Amino acid sequence: MRVLVTGAAGFLGSHLCDRLLGEGDTLIGVDNLSTGAPENLAHLAGHPRFQFEERNICASFDPGPVDYVFNMASPASPPEYLRLGIETLRVGSVGVENTLEIACRYGAGYLHASTSECYGDPLEHPQAESYWGNVNPVGPRSVYDEAKRFAEAMVMAYHRSRGVNTHLARIFNTYGPRLHPSDGRVISNFMMQALRGEQLTIYGDGSQTRSFCFVDDLIQGIVLLSRSDEHLPVNLGNPEEYTILACAQAVLDATGSKSELIFVDLPEDDPMRRRPDITKARTLLGWEPRVGLREGLQKSLEFFRSKAAAGAAAESR
Ligand code: UDP
C-alpha cells in the first residue's frame, strides 16, 4: 500500500511509520514540526520506502494516489496545545478536511487519531463510546477538546455523505520511548524529574486518575481498527487506572530514584478521572493491551535515561 501519515514526526506518528514500514507499505510522512521532532524519524533517513515532507496540512496538498491516510497530526500535550491554541483548532478542522479530501479523491481508507478528551471531565465511569462527554466549550482545554470533537463530526460527515471508509480511534493516555521529554505530560515529566533527582510535580493532591497505555499496544490497536469495518469511534487505551500519586510511585520504583514529591496547583478543568471501557475494541478487533504500567516504564527507561544524560551533558558544557 502507498500510505500518507500526517504528524509523522510525532510520538505516535513515528511509531506508526515504523510499524507500517515493517509491514512493507510505502509511506509519505508529513509534519510541520511544530511539536514533532525530526529525531523521531532520523533512523528512517534513506529508507527506500519512506519519504518525508515538512508541511502544514492546513494548506491543501496532493500527495498523489494513496491507499490509506492516517491523520495523526495535532499538538497533543496540554502545555503544547495551550501554547498553540489556534493552530490546534485549525489542524483539527481545516487540516482534517484537507486530509479527508485526499482520501475521498483517491478512494483511500482513513483513520483519524481522536482522543479520550472528547469525554472531557467525565460524569460516567469508565467511559464507553456511547457517552457524549462533559466538555467545557470555552475553557482553556477547549482548543483541543472541541477541535477533536469537530474532527469526529467532520470524519463522520465524509463517511456518511461521501462514502469514505473512515475510522475514529479515541486514544487514551499513551506513553513510551519518543514521548517528548519536555512536553509536559505526566509520564515524561515524572521520568525526567526522577532521573535528574528533582522533585516530582504532583498537580493538585494527586488523587485524579489516568489509565496509561504502552505505545506498542496502542499502535497495534490503531492498525487493527484501520482494517476493520467499524466507522463509529472506538476507545483504545489501557483500562488499568492509576491515581497520579500511584503513577509517581511507579516511576520512582522503575527509576530507583529517591526524588521527593512536591504538590502544586491543579490546572483548570483538569479531568478528575479517565478510564476506557474497551469492550468494543475487545469484541470488534480482538484487541486488548498486554503491557502493564510497571513493565512499560521499564521499556521506556533507556529512552528517558539517554535524554536525561544528554541534558546533563549540555548543562555541564
Ligand atoms: N500531572 C501531574 N504532574 C505533571 C504533569 C501532569 O500531576 O508534572 C497530572 C495532570 O494534572 C493530569 C494528569 O497528570 O491530571 C495527566 O496529565 P497529562 O498532561 O499527562 O495528560 P492529560 O490526561 O491531562 O491530557
Side-chain angles (χ1 to χ4, degrees):
M1 290 213 300
R2 191 161 184 273
V3 177
L4 172 66
V5 178
T6 75
F11 167 51
L12 293 181
S14 66
H15 280 281
L16 180 62
C17 287
D18 287 344
R19 169 68 189 263
L20 297 174
L21 286 170
E23 297 194 356
D25 292 339
T26 297
L27 302 192
I28 308 134
V30 307
D31 201 302
N32 72 349
L33 303 179
S34 68
T35 58
E39 64 188 84
N40 287 342
L41 297 174
H43 60 293
L44 298 181
H47 191 294
R49 285 182 286 107
F50 183 75
Q51 178 195 332
F52 179 73
E53 285 177 20
E54 185 175 338
R55 68 161 66 247
N56 187 338
I57 62 167
C58 292
S60 66
F61 66 107
D62 186 350
V66 287
D67 303 292
Y68 211 98
V69 177
F70 286 92
N71 188 41
M72 314 298 287
S74 176
S77 88
E80 291 291 70
Y81 63 66
L82 295 179
R83 181 174 70 86
L84 297 166
I86 294 168
E87 290 85 347
T88 302
L89 281 159
R90 282 180 57 79
V91 78
S93 51
V94 183
V96 170
E97 182 172 15
N98 284 339
T99 52
L100 281 161
E101 277 296 323
I102 292 168
C104 200
R105 185 178 319 143
Y106 294 114
Y110 187 95
L111 182 139
H112 175 66
S114 188
T115 168
S116 62
E117 205 68 23
C118 289
Y119 301 120
D121 193 3
L123 304 176
E124 277 187 18
H125 196 72
Q127 294 79 53
E129 293 85 347
S130 52
Y131 177 50
W132 292 354
N134 177 39
V135 172
N136 178 349
V138 292
R141 293 173 85 107
S142 65
V143 293
Y144 186 68
D145 300 9
E146 296 295 15
K148 291 287 186 179
R149 285 164 67 99
F150 175 88
E152 289 199 354
M154 182 73 98
V155 168
M156 289 311 298
Y158 268 76
H159 172 64
R160 292 189 177 116
S161 304
R162 306 268 176 88
V164 179
N165 178 22
T166 60
H167 307 281
L168 286 167
R170 282 200 184 140
I171 300 170
F172 284 66
N173 296 56
T174 303
Y175 67 98
R178 297 187 203 154
L179 185 61
H180 199 286
S182 58
D183 82 354
R185 286 206 191 86
V186 67
I187 299 270
S188 42
N189 273 7
F190 286 177
M191 288 295 266
M192 296 300 288
Q193 289 161 343
L195 291 168
R196 288 172 176 153
E198 297 167 359
Q199 292 172 320
L200 270 54
T201 49
I202 310 282
Y203 299 167
D205 64 4
S207 66
Q208 71 273 34
T209 70
R210 293 295 186 272
S211 304
F212 300 103
C213 190
F214 187 63
V215 62
D216 292 357
D217 282 333
L218 198 277
I219 296 296
Q220 173 68 5
I222 295 263
V223 168
L224 290 175
L225 177 60
S226 73
R227 295 173 184 161
S228 78
D229 295 326
E230 180 61 24
H231 303 298
L232 289 167
V234 177
N235 286 342
L236 294 176
N238 192 322
E240 271 176 25
E241 184 180 2
Y242 288 83
T243 64
I244 294 305
L245 273 179
C247 171
Q249 190 57 53
V251 168
L252 292 177
D253 294 346
T255 53
S257 168
K258 300 271 180 294
S259 283
E260 290 175 356
L261 309 182
I262 179 172
F263 292 84
V264 300
D265 286 347
L266 188 68
E268 193 178 335
D269 288 342
D270 197 275
M272 269 317 289
R273 49 194 191 164
R274 271 295 162 68
R275 178 184 177 198
D277 177 335
I278 61 164
T279 308
K280 192 168 174 184
R282 273 200 183 105
T283 314
L284 283 180
L285 313 175
W287 174 85
E288 65 182 359
R290 290 162 190 241
V291 181
L293 181 60
R294 284 169 189 275
E295 185 188 351
L297 290 175
Q298 283 299 332
K299 286 173 180 274
S300 312
L301 199 48
E302 193 186 316
F303 169 80
F304 287 109
R305 268 213 179 108
S306 73
K307 294 295 170 193
E315 267 168 34
S316 66
R317 272 201 295 272

